Amino acid sequence: MSDIGFIIPTAPQFDFQRTVLSHGWLMLPPFTWDGEEGALAYAYESAAGNVLRLQICGAPDGVQAHLSDSAPMTESLEAELRRAVRTMLNIDWDLSPFYAAMRAHQSYEWLEEERRGRILIAPSLWEDLAKVLLTTNCSWSQTVNMCRQLCLLGAPHPNIKDCHAFPSPGRIAAMDFDQFAESVRAGYRSAYLYELAGKIAKGEIDLGAWLRLDSAALFKAVKSLKGFGDYAAGTIARMYGHFDHIAIDTACHTMFAERHNGGVKGSVDDIKTHYERFGPWRGLVMWMDIMRHHGE
DNA sequence: TTCCAGGGGTAGA
DNA sequence: TCTACCCATGGA
């Protein structure tokens, strides 16, 4: 038990900042990112129903986490928070086989050198599903806006203004649909989101079981949800450690055209064919290509 | 005004 | 399986 939080040791290949910056998730509440301090914060709703502001920073040979709102840290809460941090940063991924496989390919040395490949996710699959749905068929700025509005429906922090946890499925399911849709302003996506929340709340979907599925089964399960197609299922699969699908969206098309296809837009089959050479790592290589391309 | 963004559902061939 | 057409929203 400690008021200053705890440290989770990490393997040498782990890079906190690279993980946080692995995609746009750090911009979506209840995450906030302080780039100058290198601190990631997350409004976390504990199993006991308390909303806490969890702050996570890089530390020598590990990551350090603490509650920035002086909330008391009990032993069981610390265990819960440790699990959440491990999940969010995908700390338990072993990327050694990925780096080893990529040594056979030219122009990808930077992956291992820069310890890239680890991806930031939410503490719950429900939250990631909801967020991925909010990336479909809209600009990124709209995704951020919709997510912000969605989060306002979550349980509020007791003494930090405008700080809410991500809304639980039950919290959404308990709302009137029209009120929900008017709050989130997610267009036709609102119905898909509301339906998903309802199914989880009623126990018709067990996302805990989904976490134990293999790549093909998880992909299929996500695609069975309304509003989730190849892109969304591939994105979720990638975030949960399965890289044998390519999540093709406009960002992928743009990157592929400019980086691999002489500025000409390629077909979906062109893209799939190009990445086949990376076998089970193809989905991760494609995403790293996007991130690399984006950073240039 | 039209187009489009980290797409996807559906009807009809 | 493939193709149109439709879907709410907000910024350009």
Side-chain angles (χ1 to χ4, degrees):
Chain A
M1 201 183 324
S2 156
D3 287 337
I4 58 164
F6 52 86
I7 288 181
I8 299 177
T10 54
Q13 62 166 227
F14 179 86
D15 187 302
F16 174 70
Q17 189 128 338
R18 288 289 187 204
T19 305
V20 173
L21 300 176
S22 57
H23 61 146
W25 252 221
L26 77 162
M27 291 181 253
L28 300 180
F31 280 117
T32 53
W33 169 244
D34 182 335
E36 287 189 8
E37 295 292 327
L40 180 71
Y42 182 84
Y44 180 83
E45 184 170 9
S46 71
N50 299 312
V51 179
L52 308 161
R53 188 170 184 276
L54 179 62
Q55 190 164 321
I56 311 164
C57 303
D61 306 318
V63 292
Q64 180 167 18
H66 71 276
L67 295 175
S68 60
D69 44 16
S70 304
M73 179 84 85
T74 64
E75 212 165 287
S76 65
L77 178 60
E78 178 176 325
E80 183 183 344
L81 294 176
R82 279 180 180 273
R83 282 195 298 275
V85 173
R86 295 195 90 85
T87 299
M88 287 191 273
L89 298 172
N90 271 312
I91 284 176
D92 296 319
W93 280 6
D94 177 11
L95 290 173
S96 306
F98 173 55
Y99 296 145
M102 293 308 290
R103 285 177 207 142
H105 300 275
Q106 289 189 343
S107 311
Y108 282 102
E109 309 80 12
W110 51 278
L111 284 170
E112 184 169 10
E113 288 168 4
E114 300 174 6
R115 297 185 288 182
R116 293 193 185 237
R118 206 173 304 273
I119 296 172
L120 178 71
I121 65 173
S124 77
L125 178 53
W126 143 249
E127 181 176 330
D128 286 323
L129 285 167
K131 286 174 170 175
V132 168
L133 183 62
L134 295 182
T135 68
T136 59
N137 194 25
C138 64
S139 61
W140 177 253
S141 61
Q142 260 189 287
T143 298
V144 176
N145 281 335
M146 289 187 284
C147 191
R148 194 171 291 153
Q149 284 148 178
L150 176 61
C151 277
L152 290 177
L153 304 178
H157 189 281
N159 48 39
I160 301 178
K161 192 173 180 295
D162 295 329
C163 178
H164 296 249
F166 195 79
S168 67
R171 214 173 158 91
I172 290 175
M175 290 181 73
D176 171 69
F177 173 72
D178 292 334
Q179 184 197 349
F180 170 73
E182 188 51 41
S183 302
V184 181
R185 312 274 323 150
Y188 66 91
R189 303 169 198 80
S190 298
Y192 299 150
L193 199 49
Y194 191 78
E195 183 181 334
L196 175 60
K199 284 186 173 175
I200 297 169
K202 281 186 273 184
E204 292 171 15
I205 291 177
D206 177 10
L207 293 184
W210 286 26
L211 295 177
R212 297 186 288 275
L213 299 175
D214 64 20
S215 178
L218 176 62
F219 187 82
K220 188 177 171 187
V222 175
K223 272 199 70 170
S224 75
L225 302 173
K226 274 197 181 170
F228 294 76
D230 286 345
Y231 153 76
T235 300
I236 289 292
R238 181 178 70 230
M239 291 171 48
Y240 284 78
H242 307 293
F243 310 118
D244 52 341
H245 290 94
I246 313 275
I248 298 173
D249 55 8
T250 55
C252 177
H253 274 290
T254 303
M255 175 279 294
F256 182 76
E258 294 174 4
R259 200 174 184 88
H260 299 299
N261 214 37
V264 180
K265 180 176 180 179
S267 69
V268 167
D269 281 343
D270 291 339
I271 296 173
K272 286 184 175 172
T273 301
H274 175 86
Y275 284 98
E276 254 173 33
R277 72 194 69 178
F278 302 109
W281 303 105
R282 70 196 102 151
L284 186 55
V285 179
M286 189 284 291
W287 184 253
M288 290 297 113
D289 274 349
I290 288 188
M291 293 310 289
R292 181 81 163 177
H293 190 68
H294 203 67
E296 282 171 357

